[in-house]
């Protein structure tokens, strides 16, 4: 899709889609081209099945993912509904024969987007990318061993998902409060083809941590979180944090002693 450079300063309201591959750093140099090939194959197949021409959308390569913007003349509901359904189905079928199944984190938001000769930019782009890269999206994909997780912004959920529609079921989404570089936001998450994921009730994360060396915020960065990113949940009257290395148990009785935490310097074996 061509955009005149003279329009670079003019914002256009478009659907932004961020697509990231799970565990891209675990692929060898020889495996990465095959991973990238599969990403493009599932995306293009889904576009074709949804009746969206490949040349009708703007697409940027991101190495281990793709950034897409869709013009307003194409209904957002078609991408949220039919396109996501076809994307999940194609990915699910392909993964049956893959030695390393491909997992995708997909995020969507509608907002003002600016185009230039190099690509797209704007807060809408930043938000979509942040949602796809959030710890909630990462955790869901790993915890559920899913092929695909979808995250949508609060405004997109309210305006397009909540009313429902063909292939769009709002009851299959669950909210979470997350902290991105631009601040705290509420996002809605779905595992296509499954019931709404269990995320707990969102609550505002604490701002008491600092980035000093040895502080909790510094430890978060070492643990793979950026800028003190954590996701808050509330259980009764007690608020607490759950990160990538913590599971939340509610109304659970353990029949034997358990260890919760890191095993350091031990040989992990399955019984």
């Amino acid at each position: 899709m061509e955009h005149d450079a003279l329009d670079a300063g003019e914002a256009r309201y478009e659907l932004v889609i961020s697509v990231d591959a799970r565990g891209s750093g675990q692929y060898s140099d020889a495996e990465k081209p095959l991973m990238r090939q599969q990403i493009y194959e599932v995306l293009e197949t889904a576009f074709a099945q949804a009746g969206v021409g490949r040349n009708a959308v703007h697409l940027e390569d991101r190495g281990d993912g793709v950034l897409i913007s869709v013009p307003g003349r194409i209904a957002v509901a078609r991408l949220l509904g039919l396109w996501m359904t076809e994307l999940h189905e194609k990915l699910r079928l392909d993964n049956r024969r893959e030695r390393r199944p491909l997992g995708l984190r997909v995020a969507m938001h509608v907002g003002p987007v600016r185009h230039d000769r190099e690509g797209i930019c704007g807060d809408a782009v930043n938000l979509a990318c942040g949602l796809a890269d959030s710890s909630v999206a990462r955790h869901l994909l790993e915890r559920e061993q899913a092929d695909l997780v979808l995250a949508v912004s609060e405004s997109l959920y309210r305006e397009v998902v909540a009313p429902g529609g063909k292939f769009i079921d709002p009851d299959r989404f669950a909210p979470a409060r997350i902290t991105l570089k631009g601040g705290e936001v509420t996002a809605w998450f779905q595992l296509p083809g499954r019931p709404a994921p269990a995320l707990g009730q969102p609550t505002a994360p604490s701002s008491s941590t600092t980035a000093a060396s040895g502080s909790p915020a510094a430890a978060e960065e070492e643990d793979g979180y950026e800028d003190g990113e954590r996701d808050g949940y509330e259980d009764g009257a007690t608020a607490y944090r759950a990160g990538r290395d913590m599971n939340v148990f509610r109304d659970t009785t353990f029949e034997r002693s358990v260890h919760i935490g890191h095993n350091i310097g031990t040989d992990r074996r399955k019984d």
Side-chain angles (χ1 to χ4, degrees), residues 39-115:
I39 292 175
Y40 278 93
E41 284 182 355
V42 296
L43 290 176
E44 291 176 359
T45 298
F47 278 127
Q49 293 296 327
V52 179
R54 171 62 181 80
N55 61 351
V57 303
H58 169 83
L59 189 149
E60 292 181 27
D61 182 76
R62 290 297 179 97
D64 60 352
V66 177
L67 181 62
I68 303 167
S69 67
V70 183
R73 66 176 181 273
I74 299 175
V76 174
R78 183 184 298 183
L79 278 300
L80 261 172
L82 181 56
W83 182 76
M84 278 300 304
T85 300
E86 294 292 349
L87 180 66
H88 174 241
E89 189 66 11
K90 171 64 174 173
L91 185 60
R92 184 183 68 84
L93 294 175
D94 283 0
N95 278 343
R96 286 182 174 181
R97 63 173 184 267
E98 294 294 330
R99 182 180 64 83
R100 187 196 296 270
L102 176 66
L104 294 180
R105 303 186 307 274
V106 179
M108 296 186 183
H109 173 60
V110 172
V113 177
R114 287 176 168 81
H115 292 255

Side-chain angles (χ1 to χ4, degrees), residues 34-258:
L34 297 177
M35 178 264 288
R36 286 165 48 79
Q37 179 181 347
Q38 187 182 1
I39 292 175
Y40 278 93
E41 284 182 355
V42 296
L43 290 176
E44 291 176 359
T45 298
F47 278 127
Q49 293 296 327
V52 179
R54 171 62 181 80
N55 61 351
V57 303
H58 169 83
L59 189 149
E60 292 181 27
D61 182 76
R62 290 297 179 97
D64 60 352
V66 177
L67 181 62
I68 303 167
S69 67
V70 183
R73 66 176 181 273
I74 299 175
V76 174
R78 183 184 298 183
L79 278 300
L80 261 172
L82 181 56
W83 182 76
M84 278 300 304
T85 300
E86 294 292 349
L87 180 66
H88 174 241
E89 189 66 11
K90 171 64 174 173
L91 185 60
R92 184 183 68 84
L93 294 175
D94 283 0
N95 278 343
R96 286 182 174 181
R97 63 173 184 267
E98 294 294 330
R99 182 180 64 83
R100 187 196 296 270
L102 176 66
L104 294 180
R105 303 186 307 274
V106 179
M108 296 186 183
H109 173 60
V110 172
V113 177
R114 287 176 168 81
H115 292 255
D116 58 27
R117 293 189 184 278
E118 305 303 324
I120 59 176
C121 63
D123 289 342
V125 176
N126 295 341
L127 177 55
C129 291
L131 295 181
D133 195 45
S134 69
S135 58
V136 172
R138 291 175 178 273
H139 178 68
L140 270 178
L141 202 61
E142 290 301 320
R143 186 189 76 187
E144 303 296 334
Q145 290 298 294
D147 299 306
L148 180 66
V149 61
L150 169 65
V152 301
S153 64
E154 170 75 2
S155 60
L156 186 55
Y157 177 86
R158 183 176 62 252
E159 296 167 4
V160 182
V161 176
K166 190 173 183 179
F167 302 114
I168 301 176
D169 184 356
D171 292 336
R172 291 179 179 265
F173 287 76
R177 188 73 176 172
I178 62 178
T179 302
L180 305 179
K181 291 182 179 180
E184 298 174 4
V185 300
T186 296
W188 292 75
F189 295 85
Q190 180 197 38
L191 295 167
R194 305 190 189 188
L199 296 176
Q201 294 301 314
T203 185
S206 171
S207 59
S208 61
T209 57
T210 64
S213 177
S215 68
E220 288 173 358
E221 292 184 3
E222 293 175 0
D223 197 31
Y225 293 86
E226 295 183 0
D227 296 334
E229 179 184 340
R230 275 295 189 263
D231 309 300
Y233 300 91
E234 186 174 318
D235 188 6
T238 303
Y240 61 93
R241 306 244 173 194
R244 186 174 306 158
D245 295 320
M246 179 183 292
N247 289 320
V248 178
F249 299 94
R250 292 188 177 88
D251 302 324
T252 302
T253 300
F254 296 99
E255 300 297 335
R256 60 178 180 175
S257 62
V258 297

